[in-house]
């Protein structure tokens, strides 16, 4: 087939998944094209202009550790940074940043355009060109062009390119679809509805039909967004300010200091009122969610304001956050007020909130329905099982959120590139990353609602912390070619520092001489609070003779209290930090490394316990289920179990055990019959 252009990898959609996928492929040395409907809206933050949050911050850290770019972009354009959940244990600490919406988009485009091997194209992808079983390339649409080409080695149809709406054809060895909410998108605002990918942008109907024609099972999902306000019309004196951290923790391990370190802006906290609730209750029948106009399922953990009022009638108020969309705009995002109620009702709701009585609504909230693909159609590499070389990433796989999209896009980009290079895929397991948990949950369980990551989804969350994401994943990024020599050298230096600090703590015993000048320093109120870091009276006398590591295992002792000792013992560890505000006693660059060492020591027993459990899980993951295994021949396996297992086709015993409804007894039967069927096949082959 004659193609207008030829690339190794084509990425369709330039949202958060598409940007990571394209960058990964190009950085791995492959000729890559990124197709988008509008090059001016690359990496557009369609909803909240924020990155991170509980568990989501973990995903961004993992993307960065593997060599992705979301973390670095956020550090460059973030206008407020906060480390969340610090009153709890380190497993659930998570960074969050409010970003300058326009700056994020522009910075991402700048980074993409400066990347060798990557071309950005503005065009609508209308069709996919795949091979049929008769060795001919055919369009997925009826009447598509044909030409003689080869098929996938395993007999599956193989993607060979894309067709643009203007008629051009583009060849590719791998194609990654990252279309977000654009597939057959339909916006709802009250009784009004109209086709769109997001407000003001066309949806993608032809590509949606092309995917259906490939036989990929789909489902319809829904999400929403709140109204935006003119900040000049808000009475800010009525709201409590929520400032950022004095010395922010960057998202990227490669960032020493965030760009807006000294010029952060506050967010503000607001609350609904009984009048707000009355207005919503009286108009809830006009919400597409409740009128029957929307049939799709929305995100359970990001409900609309009308959902909150209906499902939690006992709550007298609900919290809202007024968040700036940038430094050069007055636009304010009303976090917590996602809605699809009619515009006039939205205006009434706003006027019922003290401080927003005169607020001017710049954009109304709306809901959007869109097509997604059943993620059980995917391999662990995010390649589709039915079509070789076709990868999916982001909301098309049933997830919700920029961060969930980015980690999928990165993994799809890595594995598409590795496949083109004929190298083994990168498949992470649940013991290594939240990214792996997300992918495993999707392909094993599927989803009938937008999937959001939580720390509670991880069996080993004390092991999967934000501070050690680089230790867990950067070696993988280095292997596939995403970590530069300089970044790798920095990584190795950091690991050496942590190793030496831990050795120092374990080898230094408390003495009267060492304790001089080490009584607890007062922590500045401006410094981000960390669990147990407040000044406490420590019984230093009873610590004489113990190592510093043993002392730090006491619940009331934190590494900040030992900082004066450590500063005397290893001044070079502290001297490398950049300048920080006077209110901050330990710079974030140093503090974060110290807290990482503290966690490893203080929670050593729990970490060892989790390590043993992780080894057991890995054994079950290494026990693979052959492609030829027939569940229908397993006597004693119920029809329900047969249907579930045949539908998902798990690759390992571990994955089979996580399929909803599959019992431990069923897994044991499968385990036994793998051996039985293998012996029968060997005997048949010997005859």
């Amino acid at each position: 087939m004659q193609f207008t252009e030829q690339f190794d990898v084509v990425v369709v959609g330039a949202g958060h998944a598409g940007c990571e996928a394209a960058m990964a492929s190009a950085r791995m040395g492959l000729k890559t094209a990124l197709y988008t409907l509008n090059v001016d809206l690359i990496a557009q933050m369609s909803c909240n202009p924020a990155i991170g949050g509980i568990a989501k911050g973990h995903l961004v850290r993992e993307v960065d550790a593997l060599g992705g770019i979301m973390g670095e972009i956020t550090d460059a354009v973030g206008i407020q940074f906060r480390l969340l959940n610090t009153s709890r244990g380190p497993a659930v600490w998570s960074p969050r940043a409010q970003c300058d919406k326009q700056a994020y988009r522009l910075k991402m485009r700048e980074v993409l355009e400066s990347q060798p091997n990557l071309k950005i194209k503005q065009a609508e992808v209308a069709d996919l060109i795949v091979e049929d079983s008769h060795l001919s390339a055919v369009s997925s649409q009826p009447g598509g062009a044909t030409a003689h080409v080869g098929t996938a080695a395993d007999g599956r149809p193989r993607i060979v390119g894309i067709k643009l709406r203007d008629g051009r054809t583009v060849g590719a060895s791998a194609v990654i679809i990252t279309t977000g909410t654009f597939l057959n998108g339909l916006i709802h605002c009250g009784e009004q509805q109209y086709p769109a990918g997001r407000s003001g942008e066309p949806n993608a109907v032809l590509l949606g039909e092309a995917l259906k024609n490939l036989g990929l099972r789909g489902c319809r999902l829904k999400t929403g967004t709140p109204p935006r306000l003119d900040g000049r019309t808000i009475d800010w004196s009525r709201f409590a300010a929520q400032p950022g951290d004095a010395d922010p923790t960057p998202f990227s391990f490669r960032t020493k200091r965030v760009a807006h370190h000294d010029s952060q802006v506050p967010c503000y906290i607001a609350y609904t009122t009984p009048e707000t609730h009355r207005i919503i209750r009286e108009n809830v029948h006009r919400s597409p969610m409740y009128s029957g106009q929307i049939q799709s399922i929305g995100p359970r953990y990001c409900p609309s304001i009308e959902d909150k009022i209906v499902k939690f009638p006992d709550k007298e108020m609900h919290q809202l956050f007024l968040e700036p969309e940038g430094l050069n705009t007055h636009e304010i995002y009303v976090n917590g007020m996602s809605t699809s109620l009619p515009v006039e009702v939205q205006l009434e709701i706003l006027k019922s909130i003290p401080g927003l009585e005169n607020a001017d609504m710049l954009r109304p909230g709306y809901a959007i329905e869109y097509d997604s693909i059943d993620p059980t159609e995917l391999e662990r590499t995010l390649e589709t099982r039915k079509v070789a070389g076709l990868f999916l990433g982001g909301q098309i796989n049933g997830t919700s959120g920029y961060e969930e999209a980015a980690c999928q896009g990165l993994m799809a980009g890595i594995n598409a590139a590795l496949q083109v290079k004929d190298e083994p895929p990168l498949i992470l397991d649940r013991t290594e990353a939240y990214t792996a948990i997300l992918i495993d949950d999707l392909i094993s369980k599927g989803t009938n609602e937008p999937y959001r990551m939580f720390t509670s989804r991880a069996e080993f969350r004390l092991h999967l912390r934000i501070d050690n994401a680089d230790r867990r994943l950067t070696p993988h990024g280095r292997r596939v070619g995403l970590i530069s020599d300089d970044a790798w050298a920095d990584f190795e230096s950091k690991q050496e520092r942590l190793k030496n600090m831990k050795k120092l703590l374990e080898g230094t015993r408390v003495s009267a001489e060492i304790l001089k000048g080490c009584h607890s320093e007062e922590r500045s109120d401006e410094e981000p609070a960390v669990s147990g870091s407040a000044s406490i009276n420590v019984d230093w006398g009873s610590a004489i003779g113990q190592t510093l590591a043993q002392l730090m295992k006491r619940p009331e002792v934190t590494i900040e209290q030992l900082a004066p000792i450590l500063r005397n013992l290893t001044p070079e560890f502290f001297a490398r930090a950049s300048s920080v505000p006077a209110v901050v006693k330990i710079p974030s660059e140093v503090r974060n490394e110290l807290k990482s060492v503290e966690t490893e020591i203080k929670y050593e027993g729990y970490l060892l316990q989790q390590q043993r459990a992780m080894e057991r899980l890995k054994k079950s993951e290494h026990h693979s289920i052959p492609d030829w295994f027939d569940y229908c021949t397993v006597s004693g396996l119920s029809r329900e179990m047969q249907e579930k297992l045949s539908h998902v086709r798990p690759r390992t015993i571990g994955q089979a055990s996580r399929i909803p409804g599959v019992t431990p007894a069923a897994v044991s039967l499968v385990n036994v019959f793998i051996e039985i069927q293998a012996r029968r096949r060997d005997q048949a082959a010997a005859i």
Side-chain angles (χ1 to χ4, degrees), residues 92-372:
V92 295
W93 296 350
S94 205
R96 182 189 187 275
Q98 196 71 23
C99 295
D100 186 309
K101 183 177 180 176
Q102 182 184 32
Y104 190 97
R105 174 167 49 82
L106 295 175
K107 184 65 177 178
M108 182 66 78
R109 182 173 177 178
E110 176 190 329
V111 170
L112 293 174
E113 288 180 336
S114 65
Q115 175 60 43
N117 303 318
L118 177 59
K119 290 192 175 182
I120 302 171
K121 306 277 189 174
Q122 180 168 305
E124 180 180 352
V125 176
D127 201 2
L128 303 173
I129 305 172
V130 300
E131 300 165 345
D132 66 11
S133 57
H134 298 95
L135 308 185
S136 62
V138 299
S139 164
S140 68
Q141 302 283 2
T146 63
H148 190 74
V149 290
T151 55
D154 57 8
R156 288 182 294 161
R158 169 168 282 283
I159 196 93
V160 293
I162 60 173
K163 184 176 182 180
L164 306 180
R165 189 163 190 171
D166 59 22
R168 288 177 293 163
T169 55
V170 180
S173 300
V175 174
I176 306 170
I177 308 293
T178 61
T179 46
T181 61
F182 279 70
L183 289 185
N184 291 306
L186 183 65
I187 281 181
H188 299 264
C189 188
E191 295 83 2
Q192 304 300 315
Q193 57 181 349
Y194 54 93
R198 58 185 165 221
S199 184
E201 297 177 63
N203 62 359
V205 177
L206 296 175
L207 183 57
E209 293 306 309
L211 290 168
K212 289 179 183 176
N213 290 335
L214 292 177
L216 299 174
R217 292 186 304 272
C219 62
R220 195 89 169 140
L221 296 176
K222 168 261 173 188
T223 189
T225 192
R228 272 62 157 189
L229 310 179
D230 185 339
R232 293 169 296 185
T233 62
I234 295 173
D235 181 359
W236 294 107
S237 66
R238 306 291 294 275
F239 305 107
Q242 186 181 56
D245 293 339
D247 187 25
T249 295
F251 274 87
S252 176
F253 290 100
R254 296 177 285 281
T255 300
K256 303 303 180 187
R257 181 182 171 95
V258 300
H260 293 287
H261 186 288
D262 300 324
S263 56
Q264 297 185 74
V265 298
C267 296
Y268 292 84
I269 300 173
Y271 294 93
T272 59
T273 66
E275 176 65 7
T276 310
H277 298 194
R278 182 193 65 77
I279 294 168
I280 293 172
R281 281 194 295 267
E282 290 181 0
N283 289 278
V284 73
H285 64 282
R286 301 184 65 190
S287 167
M289 294 272 301
Y290 289 90
S291 67
Q293 187 172 303
I294 292 179
Q295 299 294 328
S296 310
I297 301 175
R300 180 187 303 267
Y301 301 105
C302 186
S304 65
I305 189 69
E306 51 264 42
D307 246 1
K308 293 178 185 177
I309 303 306
V310 171
K311 293 181 177 177
F312 305 100
D314 56 315
K315 299 291 184 184
E316 295 182 355
M317 63 177 65
H318 291 276
Q319 195 172 53
L320 306 173
F321 295 90
L322 304 179
E323 302 174 340
E325 295 224 337
L327 296 177
N328 300 311
T329 178
H330 296 289
E331 194 166 357
I332 300 297
Y333 179 94
V334 188
N335 191 344
M337 197 184 148
S338 172
T339 183
S340 58
L341 284 163
V343 173
E344 63 271 21
V345 178
Q346 294 186 37
L347 288 168
E348 276 192 75
I349 292 171
L350 291 170
K351 292 184 184 302
S352 71
I353 298 171
L356 300 183
E357 296 93 342
N358 299 311
D360 185 14
M361 185 167 67
L362 300 179
R363 312 183 202 209
Y366 64 85
I368 182 167
E369 289 184 285
Y370 57 94
D371 287 345
S372 66

Side-chain angles (χ1 to χ4, degrees), residues 545-610:
Q546 291 186 337
T547 65
L548 293 176
Q550 289 173 321
L551 177 61
M552 203 162 56
K553 286 187 177 183
R554 297 182 182 183
E556 73 275 11
V557 178
T558 66
I559 201 162
E560 287 91 339
Q561 294 168 304
L562 303 182
I565 292 178
L566 299 176
R567 199 186 296 271
N568 291 331
L569 294 174
T570 175
E572 65 279 2
F573 188 92
F574 294 82
R576 61 197 163 80
S578 54
S579 61
V580 295
V583 295
V584 177
K585 293 190 176 182
I586 304 177
S588 64
E589 184 182 349
V590 173
R591 183 183 68 242
N592 292 335
E593 291 186 11
L594 288 174
K595 297 305 289 186
S596 184
V597 175
E598 178 186 13
T599 300
E600 294 288 331
I601 292 174
K602 194 178 286 288
Y603 296 92
E604 183 180 26
Y606 295 104
L607 287 166
L608 289 173
Q609 190 178 38
Q610 282 198 358

Side-chain angles (χ1 to χ4, degrees), residues 493-659:
S493 295
K494 177 187 171 184
Q495 299 312 307
E496 187 65 23
R497 285 196 303 273
L498 297 183
K499 177 182 173 184
N500 291 338
M501 178 57 72
K502 187 177 181 184
K503 187 176 179 181
L504 177 68
L505 289 164
E506 291 173 337
T508 303
R509 295 193 176 274
V510 179
S511 65
E513 183 179 354
I514 276 182
L515 287 178
K516 285 180 181 178
C518 178
H519 292 296
S520 300
E521 294 183 335
E522 289 294 324
R523 179 180 60 84
S524 167
D525 290 335
E526 297 297 320
E527 185 180 350
V530 222
S531 179
S533 65
S535 237
I536 299 173
N537 291 323
V538 177
D539 183 4
W540 297 104
S542 65
I544 300 294
Q546 291 186 337
T547 65
L548 293 176
Q550 289 173 321
L551 177 61
M552 203 162 56
K553 286 187 177 183
R554 297 182 182 183
E556 73 275 11
V557 178
T558 66
I559 201 162
E560 287 91 339
Q561 294 168 304
L562 303 182
I565 292 178
L566 299 176
R567 199 186 296 271
N568 291 331
L569 294 174
T570 175
E572 65 279 2
F573 188 92
F574 294 82
R576 61 197 163 80
S578 54
S579 61
V580 295
V583 295
V584 177
K585 293 190 176 182
I586 304 177
S588 64
E589 184 182 349
V590 173
R591 183 183 68 242
N592 292 335
E593 291 186 11
L594 288 174
K595 297 305 289 186
S596 184
V597 175
E598 178 186 13
T599 300
E600 294 288 331
I601 292 174
K602 194 178 286 288
Y603 296 92
E604 183 180 26
Y606 295 104
L607 287 166
L608 289 173
Q609 190 178 38
Q610 282 198 358
Q611 189 64 44
R612 289 191 289 269
M614 286 160 55
E615 294 302 324
R616 290 194 294 271
L617 177 62
K618 284 181 178 179
K619 285 181 181 178
S620 67
E621 291 298 336
H622 290 156
H623 194 167
S624 61
I625 302 175
D627 291 335
W628 47 257
F629 187 75
D630 185 1
Y631 295 100
C632 295
T633 63
V634 179
S635 59
L637 199 61
S638 70
R639 182 178 296 274
E640 179 191 4
M641 296 299 114
Q642 291 176 1
E643 289 175 354
K644 288 179 181 291
L645 290 162
S646 298
H647 173 76
V648 176
R649 298 296 305 176
R651 295 301 187 190
T652 66
I653 290 294
Q655 186 186 350
S657 69
R658 293 189 293 275
I659 297 173

